Amino acid sequence: MFFRMMPRPGTRTTRLCLATLVAATASAVALPSAVAAPGTDSSGTTSSGFHRAPSKGRIDTDATARMSDPDARVSVIVQLSGDPVAVAQAKAGGDLSSTKVNQIQSALSTEQSPVAGFVRSHGGHVVSQMRSAYNGLHVQIASKDIDRLADLPGVEAVHPVPSRTAANSSTSSRSAAASGSSLGIPQLWQRTGLTGRRIRVAVIDTGLDYTHADFAGPGTPAAYDAARARSAATPSASLVGPRAPRVKGGRDFAGDSYDSSGTGSALVPRPDSNPLDCNGHGTHVAGTLAGSGVTTAGRTYTGPYNASARSFLVSPGIAPQVDLYPLKVFGCSGTSDLTTEAIDWAVAHRMNVINISLGSVHGRPGDPDAVAASNAVAAGAVVVSAAGNQGQNPYLTGAPAAGRGVISVAAVNNQASLPGYRSYAPFSSSGPASGDSSLPTGVAAPGIAISSAALGTGRAAVAMSGTSSASPQVAGVAALAVQAHRGWSASQIGAALSSTASSSRVVGYDPVLGGGLVDPARALATSSFAEGDHYRVASGTLTTGTLSFGLVESRSTIQRTRPLVLVNKGSRPITYTVAARASAGSRPATVSLSTRRVTLRPHSSARIMVTLRAPASRVGSSLDNRTGFHQISGDVVLSAGRSTQILRVPYLMVPRAQTNASAVLRTTRPGVRTAHTAAIARGVRPGTTNLTVTNSRGAMAARSAVFTWGLSDRRRDPTITGGSGYDLRAAGVQTRTVGGQKLLVFAINTWDRWSSASANEYDVAVDANGDGVPDRIVFATDSGVIRRGEPDGVTEVFIQDIRTGAVTSSGYLALAPTDSSTIELPVTASALGLRSSSGSFSYTVAGYGVDSGEDTFGSQWARYNPWQRAIGDGAGLTVAVNRSARASLATTAAEISRQKPRGVMVVTPDNPSGSGQAALLSIH
């Protein structure tokens, strides 16, 4: 039987979601630790060795397993092969004439026309067409038509639109802090005279209440109400437009009724020229970045901006005299997927700075809006994006924050009355980027109880918490830096902000959790900076402020070398001493530098080679901690004598130490033997069989578990549409007896690795009564999504009753280390309605990616009887380096005939990801 799944409403769909966000004082939920030996009981684990879920039993949720009909509509961006305007401009080496720009856009429109026609002819909808930062169409179409869409001439790729969330919490009752109050901004205004004048800043968000006095509006609730009554009409030129004092333009990409998770007409954006906010998030963000300030008399503050500027109803933003361009991508409620279109507009209108206080989880540099953001950086715009509010489990940083050259902003606890003062806020999303384990250019800023303009009040303030409150502070500093460093590229501005940020002002500093605290004074004063990785993107070359060594897997020595570039833009020589400083969370490693001292002449640069080296044996197993994640991290520190002249480049390597376990089956009958290292082996007859697992030259002891192998699939079959970690290879099941109950553990092995399994979903459909129809679905996915509608990076095992729709927790977390390719799903037989009298049941498996890709075993179903097993599975073996371990497996001919297992599946999580983690040994 073949069946297809779809995204759950409002979860990891192809949408951006305006949701209630993690409160500033909430604690991040911990990931599961590795499976312990059966029968042990350590903190957080059951006697089975699996980690406990927060609760067991019925869950009050609207979410379900991703089962649906093949006509379910998905939202995707179709990338075409032609160069968008930003790329053509980069290739030309300078600005293009308006005539040339029009010619390029016309040619791209012609290229896009057949794709648009296909979508409409198949009942789909073209949401928008982009030609400036990205050449593509945003469409909604039935998932069954995706493959044919991808095969159209000129189509380079089809990218499901990643889920996005606004990255702020609700109103805070904590003592409010003014934007920039702890960053010395008023003193900086006075000392430098820089306030952002004539710098163009786009704020991609929920829009802007331009009637608020903070943005030179009338400053009355009545003015806002009048504007709301005409929210689809062109706004007054005195409030929005070239002659308006603060808001020089903008656009509404959504319309007030738009909701990409809605139905009917709500799915269709109705763009217009009026970016009036009807949510409040965007107004708060824009005020934090660039509000003029509101005096105690309720009037717009017009200066002077200096250290004497105090006593406000609403304090000024970081850059209070920039030109604002709000880009509204939400309706008044619900979800959206329009970020890429807004970035495209910002590039076309030559923005200097783009703030994006939106995000997803598990962001990848290849996500469409991350690509568009990177193209924007290469085209000259500094792009600043909130990291997200999903907590400190690995790989939660979202996109576009994960984009190359984008500044990813973490939140720091700025409230002395709260635990963890000056540490990263517990809600602030952790890196690295999903997919390639790269380290985004990270900068931190205060993010708890930040006071800014309140929607519809005319002149009042409201306090909010989240990385959305931190991001606009960094964007404001970026605007001041653009003003201070005329002629510097967007990448160089980003590198200056990153390399001058202060790690000493963040307690528990960790490059993976976020960067150093932004230092506005040093960012504006510096004439030098350090660049990390260099990337070539479609629109040119850009640099980051970090060194990303990526994921490195080895059984022996883990080693990689990367260059950093030190740049002196000033008129005086500077001599730096060079050192490396490991972070507290780093695994032991040696950092070698090509030089310990470098002198830069004026207007020159120097390259320094950085090598990380560590023995794999000292990294540890992926089963040693709660997440499976290890890091080699820290800073390369460049000192020029005074503390104000210290530059730093964070570095990160994600090491994975490997075992090398191979499996051999031997029957009791002499002369019949089969072995397996990476491929399927055949030839063992039924009977008592001995399993031998050998760990030849592994980095550490191997831990292996035995399953009855039931299903297999080829690599990258046609049902795959992108993403990673759900291209199914094999599935099996084992039985343990725990507390007098039968505990079933399903193992699913994929051809390629995930970064975090919680980004995907793994479903096991169970037919308990033999009628060919699933009765229950066991599924593993993000715990927070199912329980609260908010991702947290924890992979929990749930059960859905097909007849009633009820969703229950199995009581267990899945075993799914980061950067791995095998997941184990524990569930009791009784939770599936199975009893000894039931006999065997049938199961099949499906895998689903964060980007709506999917894979199944097609029409394959496997049979299994926990009470009368065909193969004696369930054994666990620990195999020392260069040693072997053995287990006897009883095989019953009658049950093999009835259940028809494929053979034995030996799972070793620390083996190389992909096929190496699951040895498949046939029995016939």
Side-chain angles (χ1 to χ4, degrees):
M1 176 181 178
F2 178 85
F3 61 96
R4 193 182 281 257
M5 305 286 184
M6 71 170 292
R8 294 182 300 277
T11 61
R12 280 186 309 282
T13 64
T14 57
R15 305 180 181 95
L16 180 154
C17 178
L18 264 178
T20 303
L21 301 171
V22 180
T25 55
S27 298
V29 178
L31 280 174
S33 68
V35 164
T40 64
D41 186 12
S42 58
S43 177
T45 62
T46 67
S47 59
S48 67
F50 290 95
H51 263 257
R52 297 185 182 92
S55 66
K56 182 179 180 180
R58 182 73 178 264
I59 302 292
D60 184 12
T61 180
D62 293 329
T64 62
R66 291 166 71 166
M67 179 181 289
S68 183
D69 63 90
D71 293 324
R73 185 179 276 196
V74 295
S75 185
V76 299
I77 286 181
V78 185
Q79 180 182 357
L80 280 79
S81 56
D83 290 340
V85 173
V87 176
Q89 180 173 296
K91 290 181 176 179
D95 290 345
L96 300 174
S97 67
S98 59
T99 300
K100 185 62 175 176
V101 169
N102 290 337
Q103 290 175 347
I104 294 170
Q105 290 187 335
S106 177
L108 294 179
S109 181
T110 300
E111 180 186 3
Q112 293 174 4
S113 181
V115 178
F118 175 88
V119 171
R120 295 186 179 108
S121 68
H122 286 74
H125 173 67
V126 178
V127 177
S128 66
Q129 295 176 238
M130 296 161 283
R131 296 178 285 270
S132 295
Y134 198 89
N135 177 18
L137 301 87
H138 180 182
V139 307
Q140 296 168 346
I141 193 169
S143 59
K144 65 182 177 62
D145 294 323
I146 292 294
D147 287 342
R148 293 176 63 192
L149 178 65
D151 289 338
L152 292 177
V155 173
E156 189 167 295
V158 177
H159 304 279
V161 185
S163 175
R164 298 289 172 259
T165 59
N168 248 5
S169 75
S170 57
T171 303
S172 173
S173 60
R174 297 283 177 185
S175 176
S179 173
S181 61
S182 61
L183 301 176
I185 295 299
Q187 293 76 17
L188 190 63
W189 293 331
Q190 179 163 315
R191 187 164 61 252
T192 66
L194 300 173
T195 56
R197 191 182 295 275
R198 297 188 183 88
I199 303 300
R200 300 183 300 278
V201 178
V203 179
I204 299 176
D205 216 290
T206 67
L208 176 68
D209 176 6
Y210 47 75
T211 71
H212 198 289
D214 201 27
F215 309 104
T220 65
Y224 175 77
D225 291 342
R228 279 286 295 131
R230 303 180 65 253
S231 62
T234 301
S236 169
S238 64
L239 297 176
V240 179
R243 297 184 180 180
R246 294 303 317 282
V247 185
K248 299 295 184 177
R251 184 160 181 79
D252 180 358
F253 292 86
D256 289 353
S257 301
Y258 180 65
D259 179 1
S260 62
S261 63
T263 58
S265 62
L267 292 169
V268 181
R270 289 175 172 77
D272 57 54
S273 60
N274 192 338
L276 184 67
D277 190 2
C278 52
N279 175 274
H281 186 272
T283 296
H284 186 277
V285 167
T288 303
L289 193 162
S292 298
V294 181
T295 68
T296 54
R299 298 188 179 91
T300 302
Y301 183 67
T302 57
Y305 291 101
N306 54 36
S308 64
R310 303 174 183 172
S311 301
F312 295 98
L313 292 178
V314 183
S315 295
I318 302 291
Q321 292 187 307
V322 302
D323 294 339
L324 276 170
Y325 294 80
L327 303 179
K328 180 174 178 282
V329 295
F330 285 101
C332 295
S333 61
T335 65
S336 176
D337 49 11
L338 303 172
T339 308
T340 306
E341 289 90 323
I343 296 172
D344 192 72
W345 187 99
V347 171
H349 290 79
R350 301 180 184 275
M351 296 294 107
N352 301 116
V353 177
I354 303 171
N355 183 80
I356 309 174
S357 286
L358 316 167
S360 63
V361 289
H362 310 298
R364 294 170 175 259
D367 287 345
D369 53 358
V371 171
S374 295
N375 284 340
V377 175
V382 182
V383 181
V384 181
S385 180
N389 285 357
Q390 272 64 52
Q392 296 181 0
N393 291 318
Y395 294 111
L396 284 172
T397 291
R404 311 293 192 203
V406 177
I407 300 173
S408 174
V409 183
V412 169
N413 177 4
N414 51 294
Q415 293 286 328
S417 61
L418 290 177
Y421 174 54
R422 295 181 56 208
S423 301
Y424 296 108
F427 54 75
S428 191
S429 291
S430 174
S434 292
D436 64 357
S437 302
S438 59
L439 184 63
T441 299
V443 177
I448 293 183
I450 303 300
S451 178
S452 184
L455 177 77
T457 64
R459 60 182 188 177
V462 64
M464 292 187 182
S465 300
T467 53
S468 274
S469 295
S471 178
Q473 294 179 68
V474 174
V477 175
L480 300 181
V482 170
Q483 187 180 13
H485 302 303
R486 297 287 186 179
W488 288 23
S489 70
S491 288
Q492 291 172 336
I493 295 293
L497 264 64
S498 175
S499 58
T500 60
S502 174
S503 60
S504 63
R505 294 181 64 189
V506 180
V507 176
Y509 167 76
D510 185 334
V512 175
L513 295 179
L517 188 71
V518 65
D519 190 327
R522 291 189 58 218
L524 270 59
T526 191
S527 60
S528 60
F529 52 85
E531 297 175 331
D533 296 316
H534 285 62
Y535 294 99
R536 181 169 294 280
V537 297
S539 60
T541 301
L542 53 79
T543 61
T544 72
T546 60
L547 285 175
S548 294
F549 293 82
L551 175 71
V552 184
E553 300 178 277
S554 178
R555 287 186 282 132
S556 55
T557 299
I558 292 171
Q559 179 172 321
R560 278 192 183 173
T561 300
R562 303 284 298 172
L564 70 80
V565 176
L566 190 56
V567 180
N568 180 12
K569 292 278 218 176
S571 57
R572 296 181 179 181
I574 308 176
T575 297
Y576 284 97
T577 58
V578 188
R581 183 180 302 155
S583 70
S586 178
R587 299 301 298 159
T590 299
V591 183
S592 300
L593 305 166
S594 61
T595 183
R596 293 285 177 172
R597 184 179 177 88
V598 61
T599 297
L600 292 176
R601 297 189 305 275
H603 308 291
S604 69
S605 63
R607 175 175 289 196
I608 301 170
M609 304 306 294
V610 182
T611 299
L612 302 187
R613 188 175 188 273
S617 59
R618 299 190 65 189
V619 169
S621 166
S622 67
L623 304 178
D624 283 348
N625 63 41
R626 286 178 168 268
T627 66
F629 183 81
H630 296 291
Q631 65 186 66
I632 295 173
S633 62
D635 290 341
V636 177
V637 182
L638 305 116
S639 306
R642 298 197 305 269
S643 61
T644 56
Q645 291 183 297
I646 294 177
L647 303 177
R648 25 175 303 283
V649 180
Y651 62 82
L652 172 68
M653 175 189 285
V654 179
R656 203 169 195 280
Q658 293 181 337
T659 54
N660 188 35
S662 60
V664 173
L665 284 174
R666 290 186 177 89
T667 67
T668 57
R669 298 165 185 167
V672 182
R673 179 175 180 265
T674 186
H676 172 91
T677 298
I680 298 174
R682 297 182 181 275
V684 178
R685 300 175 184 175
T688 302
T689 303
N690 292 321
L691 170 70
T692 302
V693 179
T694 302
N695 182 18
S696 177
R697 292 180 291 181
M700 63 215 159
R703 284 178 263 184
S704 303
V706 180
F707 296 79
T708 295
W709 171 30
L711 300 166
S712 66
D713 192 29
R714 62 180 174 170
R715 180 193 293 266
R716 223 63 184 159
D717 59 48
T719 63
I720 294 292
T721 60
S724 66
Y726 61 93
D727 184 3
L728 301 174
R729 175 176 176 261
V733 62
Q734 66 171 211
T735 301
R736 305 182 190 180
T737 301
V738 178
Q741 293 194 76
K742 294 294 184 184
L743 179 70
L744 305 179
V745 182
F746 294 95
I748 302 170
N749 174 241
T750 63
W751 284 104
D752 56 357
R753 68 176 180 87
W754 54 73
S755 292
S756 172
S758 66
N760 297 334
E761 181 172 308
Y762 303 90
D763 292 22
V764 181
V766 175
D767 175 11
N769 56 18
D771 63 359
V773 177
D775 299 296
R776 288 174 176 81
I777 297 175
V778 180
F779 64 104
T781 192
D782 191 287
S783 174
V785 166
I786 304 300
R787 290 179 174 271
R788 299 179 299 280
E790 287 294 325
D792 60 16
V794 177
T795 309
E796 186 175 351
V797 180
F798 299 94
I799 306 156
Q800 181 183 349
D801 186 308
I802 297 299
R803 184 179 61 82
T804 66
V807 173
T808 58
S809 171
S810 70
Y812 298 100
L813 302 183
L815 175 66
T818 55
D819 300 302
S820 188
S821 58
T822 306
I823 182 171
E824 298 178 25
L825 290 66
V827 58
T828 59
S830 60
L832 298 179
L834 302 173
R835 294 172 178 80
S836 59
S837 59
S838 306
S840 63
F841 66 89
S842 298
Y843 70 94
T844 191
V845 173
Y848 303 91
V850 65
D851 57 5
S852 298
E854 63 183 80
D855 193 24
T856 73
F857 284 103
S859 60
Q860 294 183 63
W861 285 74
R863 293 185 68 189
Y864 183 77
N865 188 334
W867 289 271
Q868 298 291 332
R869 290 175 289 173
I871 300 171
D873 53 48
L877 298 90
T878 299
V879 190
V881 177
N882 294 327
R883 295 289 188 271
S884 297
R886 295 172 177 81
S888 295
L889 310 180
T891 55
T892 305
E895 291 302 326
I896 287 176
S897 177
R898 277 191 284 268
Q899 299 176 39
K900 295 180 173 56
R902 290 178 175 268
V904 175
M905 179 176 177
V906 182
V907 171
T908 309
D910 284 321
N911 263 17
S913 58
S915 61
Q917 287 186 0
L920 305 178
L921 309 176
S922 292
I923 291 181
H924 62 82

